[in-house]
Amino acid sequence: MEAVRPVEQGRGVRSLLRHAGRDEPVSAPDPDVRFHGRARACVGSGCKRGQAGQALGRSRGGFTTKIHGKADGCGDLIAFDLTGGEASDCTHFETLLDIGPDISPRAAIADKGYSSKANRAAARVRGIAPVIPHKANEKNQPAFFARTLYKARGRIEQGFGRLKRFKRVALRCEKTAENFRSIVSFAAGLCLIKFVHTA
């Protein structure tokens, strides 16, 4: 214990090395055997840890993570993004349009959480028809809405239902966003393989 004391309690590194080859003193050790002389955090506390940047956040449902998913016509997840539970859906619509395989879909079907003029404009700029229902308090709502096409969103909900059968996805057993992203990717791959083999 005496050999690993910090430098501020002893004489310094050079003096410790200078006396390394000699016999150890037979005197009684200092009764204060702490490694430090003042209250402070343990070794390695300089690096930041915790939930910052780990896609965790407080919402009405508690301490949660949102999976913003991009699915194909069968409801299978092909790309996703993770955010905290308190994050708004509409701010991640453009991110979902840009991630995933390099394909250009004809329509983007989303729920009311992604409803905004900016999101509809972003989809039209990319040559995609936005099928997003308008909120009740939106002004200048168009008279026509593709209700028949919007019914296909049920497949996306079913795809998320298959994904949540995996306990590690439903409960988020992983602390870091990187590990949770890996688990979601693995579960989505298993859902896709199972769907292909049972067809």
Side-chain angles (χ1 to χ4, degrees):
M1 297 294 276
E2 292 291 325
V4 294
R5 284 192 170 199
V7 178
E8 62 253 27
Q9 288 187 357
R11 292 182 292 267
V13 176
R14 290 183 181 173
S15 62
L16 287 173
L17 293 176
R18 191 177 304 129
H19 300 290
R22 301 182 185 177
D23 295 334
E24 294 184 6
V26 191
S27 61
D30 190 359
D32 186 11
V33 293
R34 292 179 298 174
F35 292 132
H36 53 79
R38 61 186 185 276
R40 64 181 177 188
C42 61
V43 178
S45 63
C47 59
K48 288 197 172 185
R49 287 175 277 187
Q51 69 187 30
Q54 300 301 333
L56 288 166
R58 296 274 178 193
S59 67
R60 281 186 285 179
F63 203 48
T64 57
T65 298
K66 275 188 180 178
I67 303 174
H68 302 270
K70 182 178 184 179
D72 59 4
C74 298
D76 295 316
L77 200 66
I78 56 176
F80 64 93
D81 186 32
L82 299 177
T83 60
E86 81 287 351
S88 174
D89 289 344
C90 64
T91 57
H92 293 278
F93 184 74
E94 291 190 50
T95 305
L96 290 176
L97 291 178
D98 295 333
I99 63 175
D102 191 13
I103 56 174
S104 56
R106 290 178 286 179
I109 305 172
D111 60 359
K112 285 186 180 180
Y114 296 95
S115 177
S116 72
K117 292 181 179 179
N119 288 344
R120 291 186 181 90
R124 290 187 183 104
V125 165
R126 292 168 174 82
I128 303 170
V131 184
I132 306 171
H134 293 268
K135 293 182 180 178
N137 58 357
E138 279 189 57
K139 297 178 181 179
N140 301 325
Q141 295 185 17
F144 173 75
F145 178 70
R147 294 183 184 277
T148 306
L149 193 57
Y150 184 68
K151 289 180 181 179
R153 199 181 69 84
R155 296 180 182 175
I156 301 171
E157 297 295 336
Q158 293 164 7
F160 271 100
R162 289 193 298 269
L163 194 67
K164 288 179 181 178
R165 290 178 187 171
F166 294 87
K167 184 178 179 181
R168 297 183 76 89
V169 175
L171 300 180
R172 172 141 188 192
C173 299
E174 282 71 29
K175 178 182 178 181
T176 62
E178 182 180 1
N179 290 349
F180 185 60
R181 188 175 285 112
S182 302
I183 289 294
V184 174
S185 301
F186 182 67
L190 288 181
C191 288
L192 183 61
I193 292 170
K194 183 178 179 182
F195 182 75
V196 169
H197 284 289
T198 57

